[in-house]
Amino acid sequence: MTSRYRSSEQHNSPAPRRRTVVKAAAATAGAAVVAAPLAAALPAGAAEAAPAFLHGVASGDPLPDGVLLWTRVTPTAEATPGSGLGPDTEVSWVVARDKALTNIVAKGSTTAKAASDHTVKADIRGLQPATDYWFRFSAGGTESPVARTRTAPPVDAAVSNLRFGVVSCANWEAGYFASYRHLAARGDLDAWLHLGDYIYEYGTGQYGTRGTVVRQTEPAGETLTLADYRGRHGKYKTDPDLQALHTKAPVVAIWDDHEMANDAWSGGAENHTEGAEGTWAARQAAAKQAYFEWMPVRPAIAGTTYRRLRFGKLVDLSLLDLRSFRSQQVKTGNGEVDDPDRTLTGRAQLDWLKAGLKSSDTTWRLVGNSVMIAPFAIGSLTADLLKPLAKLLGLPQEGLALNPDQWDGYTDDRRELLAHLRSNAIRNTVFLTGDIHMAWANDVPVDAGTYPLSASAATEFVVTSVTSDNLDDIVQVPQGTVSAIASPIIKAANRHVHWVDTDRHGYGVLDITADRAQMDYYVLSDKTKQDTTASWARSYRTRSGTQKVERTYDPV
C-alpha cells in the first residue's frame, strides 16, 4: 500500500505488495476515495532545559525476579535522536515498592552515551515475583516521570488470572494513538503485547494517508540509515498516549516488517531498492540496532526478537521473529507457497518453537505471532477436488492464498507446526497476531479444505491496527460498511473463521484463566481525533481442551 512499487532484484517474480487482500476487497467495494484533512499534531518539548527526559520511560520483558527498564536522556538541546551529538551523561535509577518511591528496593546508575543514541537500559534482578514496582530515572538534577511495572509470577506458581493488552500497527501519520491511552487508563494489565509495526519506515505522506497526513512524522524522508531509524523511534516515543501506556505496565514486543521495511524478508524488502538505497544488510542492521536501543526488549537468540517468557504455570509465551529468516514472498496464487525449501521461520526457530510447545507444562501456550497463521483463501474447493486440481495446475494446495506474506505463503512450515501440535496432543495453543489491520477470531485447522469435519490444532486472535489503514479507510466509507459486505464472504470461503471486522481500529484485552482464554475487542470512534472514545465491540474465547473459538457476549 505504498505510493510506489518496488521489486527486489533477487527474485524473478516480484513479491506482491503487503495486504493484497485489503486492496482487492476495497476495489470490490467500489467506493470513492475521499480525503479528510486534519491539522498535524507535533509534540511539544524542545530541550530548552537540559538534561531532559523527552521520550518518557518504559519497562519490558518481565521475569519472576526482574524487569528491563528503559529511558532516553537528552543531555543538550542539540542532542536530538539520531544526531550523534551531545556528551555522555550519567543516569541514575531507583526502583521502589510504592509510587512515592520511599520504599526503595534497588538503585544504580549507568551512562547514556552518544554511541547508543543516549538511550539506557537497566536489567533489574532480585525483585519479588508477581509484584508491582515503581521506578524513576534522573540525570543532572532532572527527574523522569515515575512509572509502574510488574514482575511475572513464580515459574511454578498456580496463577488464577492474567490480563494483557494486545496491539499492533501504529502509523503515526494515519491518526492518534488513542488505543494506548485507553489501555493505560485501565490500570489492570499484567503486561501489554505489541505484535509488530511499532513504527513505520515510510517518508511523510507515502503510506496509508490517502492524501491526508493527520500529523507529520520525522524525519520527513524514508528511514534508511541508523540516524533515520533512531530519529523515527524518537518521534514515536514523544507521543503522550504511548508514553502513558509505557508508564502503566511492562511491554512485551516483537517486530514485524515496518520496523525495517515493508514486506521484509531475509535478503531484502518490497520497500527497499538495492543500490539506490544502499545494501539491505546495512539497512536491516541499522533498523535492528535502533530497535534494541529504543525498545525495552532483551535481544534474544542471534540478536533477534524470538524468545520465551513464562507466567507461572498458567502461560508460556513464545515470541516469534518472522522477518529475519524468511524466504522471499512469492506471487499471489503461485504454487511455490508449498515449496518445502521455502521457510517463514527458519529451521532453527521452528525447531525451537516446536520443542518449547512440546515441553511446556503450563495450561496455555501463547504464541506472539506477527502475521496470520490461519488460512485465508478464496475459491475454496473441497479437499477431494482441491488437491488434485492444485497439483495439476501448479496452484497452492491449500487454496488461493490472498496474502503470501502471511503463513499462507509458507505452507510447509505451517503444516509441520500444526502436525506437531496434533501428533503430540499439545493442547491450548493460542496464536496472538497483528499485521493485517483487521480483527479476527479463528480456529487453526489442520486441513482447511475439510474443516469443520476435520480437526482444529489451535486457535488465533488477531487484533486490528491502532491507526494503520484498513478497508473503510481505503474506500472512504463509514465504519462497518465494508465489513457488512466482506465478512460473510470471507467466512463462507473460510469455515474456520468465526468473525472478522475489516473496518475498525482499536485494541484487544486478553484475559486468561485455567478454564479459558478470552479476547475482548475494543474499537475507536475516530482514529483521527485525539479525544476519540473507545467501546467494546465483541468477545471470543477458547475453552481449555477444545482448540476452538466461540463467541461470548460480555467482556471480562
Side-chain angles (χ1 to χ4, degrees):
M1 292 176 17
T2 67
S3 59
R4 57 214 164 133
Y5 187 89
R6 292 179 175 169
S7 62
S8 171
E9 299 173 1
Q10 302 180 30
H11 196 281
N12 58 11
S13 69
R17 284 191 194 163
R18 159 68 72 86
R19 301 176 191 94
T20 307
V21 58
V22 177
K23 285 187 165 182
T28 303
V33 174
V34 182
L38 280 173
L42 297 177
E48 296 172 357
F53 294 93
L54 303 180
H55 302 93
V57 298
S59 66
D61 281 7
L63 303 173
D65 68 339
V67 70
L68 189 67
L69 308 184
W70 175 94
T71 193
R72 198 261 182 184
V73 64
T74 303
T76 57
E78 69 270 19
T80 55
S83 67
L85 302 175
D88 293 354
T89 302
E90 184 177 8
V91 180
S92 300
W93 47 264
V94 295
V95 180
R97 290 292 300 270
D98 62 315
K99 191 173 183 179
L101 304 181
T102 58
N103 184 7
I104 294 175
V105 298
K107 60 182 179 179
S109 65
T110 186
T111 302
K113 299 180 179 179
S116 56
D117 208 21
H118 292 104
T119 61
V120 296
K121 293 180 181 180
D123 198 347
I124 311 300
R125 299 299 172 94
L127 303 179
Q128 295 299 307
T131 302
D132 288 351
Y133 289 94
W134 284 262
F135 65 95
R136 182 177 65 197
F137 291 91
S138 59
T142 302
E143 294 178 337
S144 77
V146 176
R148 169 193 175 268
T149 190
R150 183 170 176 81
T151 52
V155 170
D156 59 352
V159 180
S160 61
N161 174 259
L162 289 167
R163 190 168 294 170
F164 301 117
V166 189
V167 291
S168 74
C169 303
N171 179 13
W172 179 281
E173 296 204 330
Y176 293 98
F177 296 163
S179 290
Y180 298 151
R181 172 166 53 86
H182 289 290
L183 278 172
R186 294 182 62 96
D188 63 353
L189 301 179
D190 292 284
W192 56 287
L193 312 183
H194 202 295
L195 298 172
D197 298 344
Y198 185 98
I199 65 165
Y200 278 73
E201 83 281 14
Y202 288 94
T204 187
Q206 292 180 349
Y207 180 84
T209 60
R210 307 297 157 222
T212 300
V213 174
V214 177
R215 51 180 186 162
Q216 188 170 325
T217 194
E218 294 175 7
E222 186 176 326
T223 56
L224 301 173
T225 66
L226 178 58
D228 293 339
Y229 282 102
R230 286 169 163 175
R232 188 62 55 85
H233 274 282
K235 181 66 170 180
Y236 274 63
K237 282 288 202 303
T238 64
D239 183 84
D241 296 329
L242 179 55
Q243 287 192 8
L245 183 53
H246 274 305
T247 65
K248 292 299 179 67
V251 67
V252 177
I254 55 175
W255 58 45
D256 193 28
D257 53 342
H258 291 291
E259 285 88 351
M260 293 170 240
N262 184 50
D263 282 359
W265 57 287
S266 60
E270 180 271 334
N271 190 27
H272 179 75
T273 302
E274 196 80 9
E277 294 180 330
T279 67
W280 173 248
R283 183 175 183 178
Q284 184 187 54
K288 289 184 175 184
Q289 179 176 334
Y291 184 89
F292 283 121
E293 289 171 345
W294 279 86
M295 296 291 291
V297 169
R298 292 186 184 89
I301 301 165
T304 75
T305 57
Y306 83 83
R307 62 202 190 281
R308 185 171 290 115
L309 298 174
R310 182 180 172 114
F311 296 82
K313 295 181 75 173
L314 188 60
V315 164
D316 257 345
L317 173 59
S318 300
L319 300 152
L320 303 185
D321 176 353
L322 299 183
R323 294 294 165 183
S324 295
F325 311 104
R326 70 156 74 196
S327 307
Q328 186 177 14
Q329 301 87 342
V330 298
K331 192 172 181 178
T332 301
N334 191 319
E336 288 182 55
V337 300
D338 300 318
D339 185 347
D341 292 330
R342 298 180 66 257
T343 181
L344 177 65
T345 61
R347 183 74 258 162
Q349 183 176 199
L350 187 57
D351 288 344
W352 167 87
L353 177 60
K354 288 166 59 182
L357 292 171
K358 183 178 180 180
S359 65
S360 174
D361 62 351
T362 58
T363 303
W364 294 95
R365 294 149 195 83
L366 305 183
V367 182
N369 171 56
S370 61
V371 296
M372 198 161 84
I373 189 168
F376 176 32
I378 58 171
S380 294
L381 299 173
T382 58
D384 60 327
L385 294 175
L386 171 63
K387 290 182 178 178
L389 182 62
K391 185 175 182 180
L392 179 65
L393 299 179
L395 296 173
Q397 296 176 38
E398 297 183 5
L400 298 178
L402 287 176
N403 190 345
D405 187 59
Q406 300 178 166
W407 287 77
D408 275 337
Y410 306 84
T411 61
D412 196 70
D413 278 0
R414 181 168 62 193
R415 277 193 294 271
E416 181 177 336
L417 178 57
L418 299 185
H420 176 75
L421 294 177
R422 291 289 296 166
S423 63
N424 291 283
I426 299 170
R427 306 191 316 161
N428 295 351
T429 302
V430 181
F431 292 87
L432 304 173
T433 306
D435 175 71
I436 200 171
H437 305 179
M438 309 179 210
W440 301 65
N442 303 322
D443 298 337
V444 184
V446 176
D447 187 342
T450 58
Y451 197 74
L453 299 178
S454 56
S456 175
T459 54
E460 180 177 39
F461 297 124
V462 183
V463 294
T464 187
S465 60
V466 172
T467 60
S468 301
D469 278 3
N470 45 30
L471 289 190
D472 68 305
D473 299 309
I474 293 171
V475 301
Q476 291 293 303
V477 295
Q479 289 185 359
T481 304
V482 181
S483 197
I485 300 169
S487 180
I489 296 171
I490 292 170
K491 289 169 65 178
N494 300 270
R495 287 166 289 183
H496 54 280
V497 174
H498 290 255
W499 177 64
V500 56
D501 182 341
T502 65
D503 290 8
R504 293 182 288 184
H505 304 276
Y507 57 94
V509 176
L510 180 70
D511 191 272
I512 306 169
T513 68
D515 296 329
R516 56 101 185 105
Q518 176 168 323
M519 182 70 84
D520 297 333
Y521 294 89
Y522 290 84
V523 296
L524 303 179
S525 57
D526 188 341
K527 68 172 183 175
T528 66
K529 299 189 185 317
Q530 275 188 296
D531 61 351
T532 185
T533 58
S535 59
W536 170 72
R538 281 209 183 191
S539 293
Y540 286 84
R541 68 186 177 191
T542 175
R543 289 188 289 176
S544 181
T546 66
Q547 281 64 254
K548 292 187 177 181
V549 164
E550 64 183 22
R551 187 176 178 184
T552 183
Y553 290 86
D554 293 291
V556 172

